[in-house]
Amino acid sequence: VYSLPTTIGGFITLKKKNGLGTIGLLATDAAVRGQGIGRALLNRARQDAAISQILALEVVTQQANQPACQFYERTGFTLKSTTWVYHCWL
C-alpha cells in the first residue's frame, strides 16, 4: 500500500509460489496518477521478490488497457503470451 497523508495513493499485490512472482493487482488513485506511485509500488514488489529469491516476475493485464500495457513495457516487462478469453452471458 502506498500511503499519502490523507488517503491511499495506490496498492499492489504479489503472489509468490515456486520461484515465480505474480502481480495480481496494481492500482493508483486517479487523482495522483503520473506522480511515480505505480513505479514505486512495482519497484517495492521487485525488491520483495528478490529478497524472497523469486526467479521471475509476471503480470497479466488486458490488451485493451493500453495505459497499463505501456506502463509495464516502460518498466521493463515484455509480452510473453496472449490469451483470448471469451465470455458468454446467459
Side-chain angles (χ1 to χ4, degrees):
V1 174
Y2 192 102
S3 296
L4 297 170
T6 60
T7 189
I8 293 174
F11 69 92
I12 191 167
T13 64
L14 176 63
K15 178 182 177 180
K16 299 177 278 186
K17 185 175 180 180
N18 299 328
L20 175 65
T22 304
I23 295 171
L25 296 171
L26 171 58
T28 57
D29 187 317
V32 294
R33 286 200 185 124
Q35 297 181 21
I37 293 172
R39 187 175 295 267
L41 288 164
L42 184 55
N43 288 340
R44 180 62 182 96
R46 283 182 163 141
Q47 290 171 353
D48 187 51
I51 290 167
S52 300
Q53 299 180 335
I54 297 299
L55 304 174
L57 189 60
E58 69 179 15
V59 63
V60 175
T61 192
Q62 297 176 3
Q63 191 172 15
N65 186 348
Q66 283 301 301
C69 292
Q70 292 168 357
F71 169 78
Y72 289 120
E73 288 175 4
R74 282 193 314 269
T75 55
F77 285 84
T78 58
L79 181 63
K80 177 181 171 185
S81 65
T82 300
T83 302
W84 296 96
V85 178
Y86 299 94
H87 300 275
C88 178
W89 302 100
L90 301 176

